[in-house]
Each structure stands twice: as structure tokens, then as C-alpha cells.
Amino acid sequence: MSDENNETEPKPANDMPLSREAELEAELKKVKDQLLRAVAEAENGRRRAERERDEARRYGAAAFARDVLQISDNLRRALELVPADARKASEVLDALLVGLEATEREVLAAFEKNGIKKVMPLGERFDYNLHQAMFEAENTGKPAGTVVQVMQPGYVLHDRLLRPAMVGVAKGQPGDQPPVEHVDERA
């Protein structure tokens, strides 16, 4: 009788066949891996969105800034066109120029406040990342590759180029060593 009792006793619930337990563990491992990947992907997406938002806030006004640069350039040209003796001869013209100079100072202060910096490379080594060579000048007495004239200043917004400075560059003399290539560290 005891043999019959052993056969009719129910098996404990934790006595699943070994293959079913291994199958469940593999499925659990798979689901856990998928969950970890989904969490990592969501975190990467959040970081990417945050980085894009920061860049949009920092560089979003670049097109507007380029347009305002033209206005600033025209204001500077207008101020430079008036001869000093004409200014002294007319109080009205002098008052107008004082107002234009104050406006220019405010524009430049707004540029600086918003991370826009002027690039005036006179006497510096030519940097193709910031300058655009318009011509080469011979017999300047300067080393080859030195900026000898700035025709139009350049501007950067934080660390991005808004507009290159248009420059004239010293040409090397026969037998001069070629200028050392500048390596772009941003690439």
C-alpha cells in the first residue's frame, strides 16, 4: 500500500521539468536584456534631445546674427566716410555722428553679450578656419602666410564661424619655407 500512496501523492509545484525551468530563465534573461536596452536607448535619446536643445539655444540665432553683421558693417562704413573737417564744420552732422557712434557701440555690446566676437587678424598667421584670403601681397617684409590687410572683419558665434575675415596675406619670397599647415582641432 505504501507503494500506491507514493504514486498517488501529488508532486511539489517546484518540481518542474528541468527544461521548462531553463526555458523560463532564458526568457527572463532575454526580457531583462530588452528592458536594459530600452532604458539605455531612452537615456541616449534624452541626452541627444538635451544636446540639440542646448545647441539650438546657443546657435539658433546665427542666421539673424549674420544679417545684423551687415547692418553693423554698413554703419561702420558710413562713419568712416565722413571727413573729420566736415564733422567739425557742422554741429548737426557732428550730433548725427555722435548718435551713430552710440548706436554702433550698443550693437557691438549686444554682439558681445550674445557670444558674437569680432575676428580682426591683422599681423596674425592666416587660419583657413577663420579667414578668407582675397589676395597675396608681395614684398611686405612679413613672413609668408601673415595677414597684412583686413578688408572685412570676421565674426564667430561662441565657437562657430559666422563669417570669415576677408584678408590679404603676405606672399612668400623665393626660397622661403612654406607655411606650416594649420590642423583643425574641431574635426
Side-chain angles (χ1 to χ4, degrees):
M1 265 191 152
S2 65
D3 287 336
E4 287 177 18
N5 284 345
N6 283 343
E7 288 179 25
T8 59
E9 286 181 7
K11 290 184 180 181
N14 61 358
D15 262 358
M16 284 192 256
L18 198 53
S19 63
R20 178 71 177 142
E21 188 176 313
E23 187 179 301
L24 289 175
E25 283 182 19
E27 188 175 331
L28 176 63
K29 185 177 179 181
K30 178 181 172 187
V31 169
K32 187 177 181 181
D33 182 59
Q34 288 174 340
L35 176 65
L36 289 174
R37 288 177 190 271
V39 168
E41 189 173 324
E43 181 64 20
N44 289 340
R46 184 192 63 76
R47 284 189 201 130
R48 186 174 29 260
E50 187 176 306
R51 185 174 49 249
E52 288 171 358
R53 186 182 67 240
D54 290 344
E55 283 191 15
R57 181 178 53 236
R58 194 169 174 154
Y59 303 111
F64 176 73
R66 281 187 200 95
D67 292 342
V68 175
L69 292 178
Q70 296 300 322
I71 296 168
S72 175
D73 290 341
N74 289 335
L75 185 57
R76 172 63 8 215
R77 285 185 202 103
L79 288 168
E80 290 173 351
L81 282 176
V82 178
D85 56 341
R87 186 175 189 161
K88 292 176 186 173
S90 171
E91 278 187 38
V92 173
L93 183 58
D94 185 50
L96 176 65
L97 293 174
V98 167
L100 289 175
E101 289 166 343
T103 302
E104 181 184 42
R105 282 192 302 274
E106 286 184 35
V107 168
L108 295 176
F111 283 175
E112 191 165 322
K113 177 181 171 187
N114 289 285
I116 299 171
K117 294 183 181 92
K118 188 182 262 189
V119 176
M120 284 294 286
L122 188 61
E124 295 178 7
R125 185 137 186 88
F126 178 79
D127 180 351
Y128 65 86
N129 293 306
L130 299 172
H131 313 142
Q132 182 176 346
M134 303 306 291
F135 64 90
E136 285 186 312
E138 293 185 21
N139 302 323
T140 61
K142 303 280 184 184
T146 302
V147 174
V148 293
Q149 183 179 352
V150 178
M151 296 163 23
Q152 183 180 45
Y155 289 89
V156 292
L157 174 60
H158 301 291
D159 59 347
R160 286 191 184 169
L161 184 66
L162 280 176
R163 181 179 77 190
M166 296 194 181
V167 300
V169 181
K171 187 175 183 178
Q173 304 298 325
D176 280 352
Q177 294 292 328
V180 176
E181 288 288 321
H182 176 79
V183 176
D184 186 3
E185 296 173 6
R186 294 179 279 174

